[in-house]
Amino acid sequence: MTDANELDREPHRESHGTPEDACLQQILAAARALDGVLELAPAEGSDFPEIAWGDHFFYYAPDGRVPQREQPYATIVTKNYPGDTLSALDAPDRSRLNLHVGADTFATLTGEHPRDEPRPRDFTATDVVLPHPVYRAQGWVAITNPGPATGELAIRLLRQAHDDARRRTERRKGPGSP
């Protein structure tokens, strides 16, 4: 279990009072209000890898422990990761909400099947739903700087991703499991 003192519950970037900052705060509040949610938000100096500092990882974990064989169902990242630079997150005031939505919702949102050959995209575009630049084949979408055009949708997709993670957890436990 992660020491709560190691977690920073606010994004590491400075807020400038933009609609995107307000939207990100609404998304964080919505995520934190979900039942059984576990948020990991590694802070500078924590035991987590430095690359993760300032980012947010959301799991369905009613027992408060990070699932051993489960990826988060949503993340908010505030910087480029190795092999994931197309969204230009190292630029000031940029962050990206990533959501596991599954193949059907992915196709509805993007007009493509997740495993289809990707169409050319401007992954630096903001406040639009795009296939995740790295994890599209697994049914992930991404929204860089969610704002007025995507904020409500982002929260609905976040709730859906959470509910899907809960159902997967319950299905793995099987009937009669505590």
Side-chain angles (χ1 to χ4, degrees):
M1 176 89 180
T2 303
D3 184 328
N5 293 328
E6 293 180 2
L7 301 180
D8 172 21
R9 296 196 48 97
E10 297 303 322
H12 79 281
R13 66 191 179 109
E14 190 176 314
S15 175
H16 297 290
T18 66
E20 292 79 12
D21 290 327
C23 188
L24 185 59
Q25 293 307 314
Q26 290 172 339
I27 292 167
L28 283 167
R32 293 170 180 155
L34 297 168
D35 68 297
V37 70
L38 173 63
E39 175 188 10
L40 295 184
E44 185 175 339
S46 71
D47 289 338
F48 291 94
E50 184 175 346
I51 189 118
W53 295 353
D55 294 343
H56 300 259
F57 305 86
F58 297 95
Y59 297 86
Y60 177 74
D63 62 1
R65 295 186 308 218
V66 177
Q68 294 301 305
R69 292 184 196 90
E70 187 77 19
Q71 294 295 315
Y73 60 82
T75 65
I76 297 173
V77 295
T78 58
K79 68 193 80 60
N80 289 335
Y81 276 69
D84 185 3
T85 60
L86 294 176
S87 298
L89 297 176
D90 284 347
D93 298 322
R94 291 179 65 82
S95 62
R96 188 180 69 209
L97 172 66
N98 305 301
L99 298 155
H100 182 256
V101 297
D104 292 340
T105 301
F106 181 98
T108 299
L109 293 168
T110 68
E112 301 176 40
H113 187 275
R115 294 186 186 267
D116 287 350
E117 184 66 31
R119 294 191 320 231
R121 304 275 184 164
D122 177 7
F123 288 102
T124 64
T126 60
D127 202 17
V128 295
V129 177
L130 294 170
H132 190 285
V134 176
Y135 298 110
R136 71 171 276 133
Q138 291 81 19
W140 283 75
V141 296
I143 306 170
T144 299
N145 288 15
T150 58
E152 289 181 24
L153 174 62
I155 290 172
R156 284 196 311 272
L157 294 172
L158 174 71
R159 289 179 179 138
Q160 175 188 330
H162 175 81
D163 290 346
D164 291 347
R166 179 181 41 78
R167 280 191 289 280
R168 284 190 301 274
T169 298
E170 291 169 356
R171 190 172 48 245
R172 273 194 302 275
K173 285 184 177 182
S177 296

